[in-house]
Amino acid sequence: MNTRNAVTTGFICAVLSLFLTACGGSGADSAPEASSSSSASSQSESSESSSSASESSSSSSDEAISGELFEVSDFGDNPSDLDMHLYVPESLQNNAPVLLAVHYCTGTGPEFYQNTSYNTLADSHGFIVIYPTATRSSKCFDVASSEALTRDGGSDPVGLRSMIGYVESHYNVDAGRIFVTGVSSGAMMTNVMLALYPDVFKAGAFFAGVPYTCFATTGDSEWNSECANGNVSKTAEEWGDLVRNAYPDFGGERPRVQLWHGTADDVLHYNNFDEAIKQWTDVHGLSQTPDYTDEPSEGATRTRYGDSGSAAPVEAISLEGVGHNLPVDENEVIRFFGLDGGS
C-alpha cells in the first residue's frame, strides 16, 4: 500500500479561521476541510514554491499538449467559476477511459496533479485525467448547498459535468468508462457526483469523505459540524433513499464504490466511513455484512460487499490508527477501476 501522506494539516488552519470568523474574529476566508493526495504529499496548504512549480508545469493554452498538463479555459456551463486542467498522455488509448481527480481543500488541480501519480499511471495505461480547481476563497468544493446537492441544480457539480462533456466532445473516449476520485473535500464531491450522475460514472473512489448529503447546510455555510464530528446517523435505507432520490428516473447500473478512511480521523470522524458503507451497500441492494475480509497490508482491513473478488460493487478499506492525513494509494484506485487491465 502506498505510504505517502495524503491529507494536509492546512485544514486545521482553515477550520480555526472559520471559527474565528464565526466568532467575530479576523480570520482569513477559509472553508472546511482540506486534504491532499499521496505522492510526496500532503502539501495542500501548498507552499508558494510548490504552487509556482505546479503552475510552471502547465500550459495555459486550450490546445492539447500530449504528456503535459494544460488549462482549458472554456469548457461549457460553469456556474461556480471552476478552473479546468487536463492531462492527455502521449500513449492515449483508442476509446480511452477518463478520470476526474478532485483535490482537497486549500489545494488546486495543478497541485493535485503534482502531488499524485495519476498522470504517470495515465502514461502507463492510456487514460485521460481531468484536474478541476475550486476557485472560491476556501478552495473547497461545494458539497453543502442545495444547488450542489441537486442534479443539474448549479454550483460545482454542473461545472464538473461540463468538463467531462468537453473531453467527450474533443477526444475519442469511452463514455462507459468514466471515473471519479477525490480526497477529503474531493472525496465528498466524489460522493456527490456518483449520486447525482450515476448515468455518467462507472465507479468512484474516495479518501476520507462522508455520505452524500451528510454535509448539507443552510445559508452560505460550507461547514457541517454534526456531520464532521460523526453525529449524523441514518439507517442504510434512509441513506440509500437520498441517493436514489437524487436522480429518481435512473434505472441503470449504479457506479461501483471504493471507500478509504482512517480510524483516528479527527477532522471527518471515522463514523462517516460506516455511514457511507451503509449508504452505498443499500444503493446496490446489498447486505451490510461483508462477503470478504482481508488485511492487504499492516493496519489495513479491507471488506468487500456483493462479491468476494476485485470486481465487488462496494469495497472499503479501514486504516487502523491513521488520521485525516491518510495515505492515498493511486495504484489500488486504478486497480479497482480496472484501468490497469484488470476487472
Side-chain angles (χ1 to χ4, degrees):
M1 187 181 242
N2 190 326
T3 58
R4 294 173 296 176
N5 281 340
V7 181
T8 174
T9 55
F11 172 78
I12 303 301
C13 297
V15 173
L16 288 174
S17 175
L18 182 71
F19 288 156
L20 282 170
T21 302
C23 295
S26 58
D29 287 344
S30 189
E33 160 261 352
S35 55
S36 163
S37 144
S38 76
S39 197
S41 201
S42 132
Q43 265 117 297
S44 57
E45 26 183 70
S46 317
S47 62
E48 288 191 9
S49 60
S50 169
S51 179
S52 61
S54 176
E55 289 169 6
S56 67
S57 68
S58 66
S59 165
S60 61
S61 170
D62 281 1
E63 294 300 317
I65 304 172
S66 296
E68 294 184 23
L69 188 69
F70 66 96
E71 184 173 9
V72 177
S73 59
D74 183 6
F75 51 85
D77 194 8
N78 184 21
S80 55
D81 198 29
L82 300 177
D83 288 342
M84 174 184 178
H85 284 79
L86 197 60
Y87 184 80
V88 180
E90 293 181 355
S91 55
L92 184 65
Q93 284 187 39
N94 184 38
N95 211 25
V98 179
L99 174 62
L100 177 66
V102 192
H103 68 73
Y104 39 82
C105 279
T106 79
T108 68
E111 288 167 15
F112 204 46
Y113 161 84
Q114 185 176 20
N115 295 334
T116 59
S117 62
Y118 291 119
N119 61 308
T120 58
L121 289 166
D123 289 336
S124 298
H125 303 297
F127 58 88
I128 293 173
V129 190
I130 303 169
Y131 296 94
T133 295
T135 59
R136 59 183 54 84
S137 61
S138 64
K139 295 187 179 179
C140 297
F141 288 92
D142 177 11
V143 295
S145 73
S146 60
E147 292 83 3
L149 297 175
T150 302
R151 180 180 168 93
D152 299 332
S155 196
D156 296 348
V158 168
L160 296 174
R161 178 65 186 92
S162 294
M163 294 181 192
I164 293 167
Y166 174 91
V167 172
E168 288 178 313
S169 66
H170 286 75
Y171 297 91
N172 179 14
V173 301
D174 184 351
R177 290 192 296 164
I178 297 175
F179 305 89
V180 57
T181 187
V183 178
S184 196
S185 176
M188 294 193 280
M189 180 53 74
T190 296
N191 259 327
V192 170
M193 295 303 287
L194 294 176
L196 297 183
Y197 299 105
D199 52 331
V200 173
F201 296 101
K202 183 175 182 179
F206 48 93
F207 292 79
V210 303
Y212 168 67
T213 74
C214 184
F215 232 70
T217 62
T218 56
D220 296 329
S221 175
E222 296 180 64
W223 184 250
N224 185 320
S225 294
E226 285 297 293
C227 180
N229 294 334
N231 295 328
V232 178
S233 179
K234 301 180 185 295
T235 66
E237 184 176 8
E238 287 171 336
W239 280 124
D241 283 345
L242 289 166
V243 172
R244 285 182 286 270
N245 291 337
Y247 185 14
D249 293 335
F250 182 70
E253 185 176 346
R254 292 282 175 175
R256 296 169 61 238
V257 177
Q258 185 187 62
L259 312 82
W260 301 73
H261 219 110
T263 63
D265 193 327
D266 59 355
V267 175
L268 297 174
H269 196 280
Y270 182 73
N271 286 352
N272 286 301
F273 179 67
D274 293 329
E275 296 299 305
I277 291 173
K278 286 158 63 175
Q279 183 168 67
W280 288 105
T281 51
D282 187 77
V283 166
H284 281 275
L286 305 173
S287 167
Q288 284 76 63
T289 301
D291 291 271
Y292 176 83
T293 302
D294 71 345
E295 296 181 1
S297 62
E298 183 177 358
T301 300
R302 176 170 57 192
T303 50
R304 289 172 172 162
Y305 304 82
D307 194 301
S308 61
S310 60
V314 178
E315 179 175 271
I317 299 92
S318 173
L319 304 176
E320 182 65 33
V322 175
H324 198 59
N325 234 20
L326 81 176
V328 173
D329 191 334
E330 300 97 326
N331 287 290
E332 274 298 294
V333 172
I334 297 308
R335 188 274 309 162
F336 181 76
F337 291 164
L339 294 179
D340 62 350
S343 60

